Amino acid sequence: MNDFGIAFQLLGIGMTTVFIILSLVVVIGNLIIRVVNRLVLEEKGTVKGRETSESLIDKKKLSAIMAAVNIATNGKATVVDITKAN
Amino acid sequence: MEILKKLIEMTAFQELWDDPGALLMLAIAAVLLYLGIKKKYEPLLLIPIAFGMVLANLPGGGMGVVPATNIELGEHHYMNLFEIAHEYGIMNYLYYALIKTGFLPPIIFMGVGALTDFGPMLRNLRLSFFGAAAQIGIFVVLFSAIAVGFTPKEAASLGIIGGADGPTAIYTTIILAPHLLGPIAIAAYSYMALVPVIIPLVTKLLCSEKELKINMREQDKKYPPKFKIKDLNTVKIIFPIVLGVVIAFFVPSSVPLLGMLLFGNLIKEVGVTVARLSDAATGPILNASTIFLGLTVGATMTSELFLDMKTIMIIVGGFIAFAISIAGGIFSVKGYNLIAKKKINPLIGATGLSAVPMASRVANEIALKYDSGNHVLQYCMASNISGVIGSAVAAGVLISFLG
């Protein structure tokens, strides 16, 4: 095959491959989001059950604490648990 | 008289007389230093590259990188690193250890990954397609470069400038056409620095005012996404792992670049547990790699290799590749807008290059100029980040076929 033939082949194969890979990015991304969303829903269901019996911290206070932690640690830390000292 | 002759031979003046091209190279290095220091065009890379160029062209300094044929002993047998250092000096040692082995570009990609946030892309996944369309410049210029006399390997190295990704361009050139490394690196980084000039120019030529006023947030309100991300942090941790494995099966030759990019991103997203690793990847490792990459690439630009017609063609071809890639992204958005209800601002196509985040910032400024309430940064980042993946995949294809 001459050099132009190789160039044509690379144009076709190269662009197709890039499109396929970025389509995979879209498919994989969507798939992960859906799976994680479903898991989060299940987790929230169990947490809600506990909330009714224990009366947790006020939602506004919770989001303020989480935002403060996020800013102070540059997003590297997450709030896992909040307990009252006294 | 004999003493005088020996004195002249001892100094660098005789060598300068023998190779006056070195003076021109020093002048070019001075221009690049000016652009890096005063104009702040990609200073982190242009300054080390320009200074490497100065070192390589100081007569008698012995800091210029020698061609691979000089260190070849026989069929596929080369001098070891100690012999290279002894024979050709420290710069050649660094070049053959860090660049010729293809070591530094993936290490830099790891740092880039640790600095990249896939969040905007995950929130606007469909915009990733425009990162694919913007790779068209790579392949079109490959074709044209062959037409003007480049070999396919050289043409591929020239075309990859259109991906607007410095480490990818360098990595591809190391493998396919190492003798063109200097001019290609200079062209790649110069055009990346000129993104604030090139994107507005191409956009102005190809887009109407009405198109540039398309407000992405209003479009999102009119046609809201089907589902929202409920736990972005978890998604961002799983995404690089799964994506890395899948891409490895399809384009294994892109793994050195993409694998390291995704690893860097993973350690960033895991957060506090491995904060030391991400700090190292984005700090000391990335900075040291950038210094060595810049200096050694600059040191390949000796007068006998750089002052060539091919260098001028690379500079011109690189610009064309860059412009075609931007145009490719814009036209793909225009095509999409013809059939879709939910319209997209063509600036999002223009940022399908991988010059992250400068391309997105420039596009955002253009959008704000036409409509002060039209913030497109997050949307542009989606195609911009997918452009990084796209150009690494394109490089992988070129290396697989031509390497």
Side-chain angles (χ1 to χ4, degrees), chain B residues 162-173:
Chain B
D165 195 317
T168 304
I170 288 172
Y171 185 75
T172 311
T173 310

Side-chain angles (χ1 to χ4, degrees), chain A residues 3-4 6-11 13-15 17-30 32-34 36-37 40-41 44 75-78, chain B residues 121-122 125 128-129 131-132 136 139 142-143 146-147 152 227-231 233 238-239 242-243 246-247 250-251 271-272 279 386 390 393 397 401-402:
Chain A
D3 289 351
F4 286 111
I6 295 170
F8 265 123
Q9 199 183 40
L10 282 170
L11 177 69
I13 294 172
M15 283 310 286
T17 312
V18 174
F19 267 105
I20 290 173
I21 295 296
L22 287 173
S23 307
L24 279 171
V25 168
V26 176
V27 172
I28 291 168
N30 275 321
I32 295 171
I33 291 167
R34 279 168 195 249
V36 171
N37 278 358
V40 168
L41 267 179
K44 269 192 178 172
K76 284 173 185 166
T78 47
Chain B
M121 193 176 86
L122 288 163
L125 272 168
S128 305
F129 287 112
I136 186 76
F139 298 101
L142 182 148
F143 192 82
I146 287 175
F227 51 85
K228 284 184 178 173
I229 306 172
K230 287 172 185 162
D231 187 354
N233 285 344
I238 300 170
F239 183 71
V242 179
L243 187 68
V246 173
I247 290 179
F250 282 87
V251 196
V272 74
D279 287 346
S386 70
V393 170
V397 171
F401 274 80
L402 301 169

Side-chain angles (χ1 to χ4, degrees), chain B residues 120-199:
Chain B
M121 193 176 86
L122 288 163
R123 280 188 218 103
N124 302 284
L125 272 168
R126 75 203 157 90
L127 300 181
S128 305
F129 287 112
F130 303 117
Q135 307 307 321
I136 186 76
I138 294 174
F139 298 101
V140 171
V141 167
L142 182 148
F143 192 82
S144 336
I146 287 175
V148 294
F150 281 84
T151 66
K153 285 184 178 185
E154 291 172 340
S157 303
L158 166 54
I160 203 74
I161 297 172
D165 195 317
T168 304
I170 288 172
Y171 185 75
T172 311
T173 310
I174 290 165
I175 294 171
L176 298 180
H179 56 289
L180 298 181
L181 185 59
I184 283 176
I186 281 287
Y189 281 106
S190 302
Y191 294 134
M192 279 167 68
L194 288 173
V195 159
V197 179
I198 302 174
I199 289 185

Side-chain angles (χ1 to χ4, degrees), chain B residues 6-343:
Chain B
K6 276 190 176 170
L7 266 173
I8 291 172
E9 279 171 4
M10 187 188 80
T11 62
F13 295 109
Q14 183 62 45
E15 283 199 38
L16 200 61
W17 184 259
D18 294 339
D19 178 23
L23 277 178
L24 184 58
M25 293 306 294
L26 289 173
I28 295 170
V31 172
L32 292 175
L33 278 173
Y34 172 78
L35 291 176
I37 297 167
K38 184 77 180 168
K39 296 281 176 184
K40 300 198 171 21
Y41 286 172
E42 291 282 335
L44 288 175
L45 261 148
L46 267 195
I47 293 171
I49 287 177
F51 205 80
M53 212 166 151
V54 171
L55 292 176
N57 288 286
L58 289 174
M63 293 287 264
V65 170
V66 297
T69 45
N70 288 32
I71 62 152
E72 199 168 0
L73 298 172
E75 267 184 38
H76 301 296
H77 282 90
Y78 297 90
M79 286 179 181
N80 64 37
L81 288 175
F82 176 78
E83 287 169 330
I84 292 172
H86 179 72
E87 193 74 27
Y88 296 110
I90 188 69
M91 194 61 91
N92 280 281
Y93 172 86
L94 288 172
Y95 175 79
Y96 282 100
L98 303 176
I99 301 288
K100 189 73 179 160
T101 52
F103 175 73
L104 282 185
I107 296 297
I108 289 180
F109 247 57
M110 177 178 73
V112 172
L115 288 169
T116 303
D117 180 9
F118 280 131
M121 193 176 86
L122 288 163
R123 280 188 218 103
N124 302 284
L125 272 168
R126 75 203 157 90
L127 300 181
S128 305
F129 287 112
F130 303 117
Q135 307 307 321
I136 186 76
I138 294 174
F139 298 101
V140 171
V141 167
L142 182 148
F143 192 82
S144 336
I146 287 175
V148 294
F150 281 84
T151 66
K153 285 184 178 185
E154 291 172 340
S157 303
L158 166 54
I160 203 74
I161 297 172
D165 195 317
T168 304
I170 288 172
Y171 185 75
T172 311
T173 310
I174 290 165
I175 294 171
L176 298 180
H179 56 289
L180 298 181
L181 185 59
I184 283 176
I186 281 287
Y189 281 106
S190 302
Y191 294 134
M192 279 167 68
L194 288 173
V195 159
V197 179
I198 302 174
I199 289 185
L201 185 79
V202 179
T203 317
K204 209 172 179 182
L205 282 173
L206 301 177
C207 302
S208 66
E209 196 176 328
K210 192 186 163 194
E211 285 173 320
L212 293 172
K213 278 184 175 172
I214 294 175
N215 192 308
M216 294 300 290
R217 284 199 183 152
E218 278 173 17
Q219 292 292 318
D220 268 351
K221 276 179 197 165
K222 266 191 199 172
Y223 309 99
K226 283 176 191 163
F227 51 85
K228 284 184 178 173
I229 306 172
K230 287 172 185 162
D231 187 354
L232 185 60
N233 285 344
T234 309
V235 173
K236 284 205 273 188
I237 289 172
I238 300 170
F239 183 71
I241 303 170
V242 179
L243 187 68
V245 173
V246 173
I247 290 179
F249 280 106
F250 282 87
V251 196
S253 48
S254 68
V255 170
L257 288 175
L258 274 180
M260 294 302 275
L261 177 92
L262 295 169
F263 168 69
N265 186 255
L266 177 68
I267 55 174
K268 169 194 177 275
E269 296 303 344
V270 168
V272 74
T273 2
V274 287
R276 281 164 54 198
L277 299 187
S278 61
D279 287 346
T282 55
I285 294 176
L286 185 60
N287 294 340
S289 304
T290 307
I291 289 174
F292 287 126
L293 183 91
L295 281 176
T296 46
V297 166
T300 62
M301 284 180 267
T302 51
S303 57
E304 60 265 33
L305 288 177
F306 194 84
L307 299 177
D308 185 4
M309 195 57 197
K310 273 191 175 164
T311 303
I312 295 165
M313 286 184 179
I314 287 167
I315 303 290
V316 175
F319 179 81
I320 296 169
F322 220 88
I324 293 175
S325 289
I326 296 168
I330 290 173
F331 280 120
S332 64
V333 172
K334 283 173 177 260
Y336 177 89
N337 283 348
L338 287 177
I339 48 167
K341 274 186 194 170
K342 188 175 180 177
K343 305 294 178 204

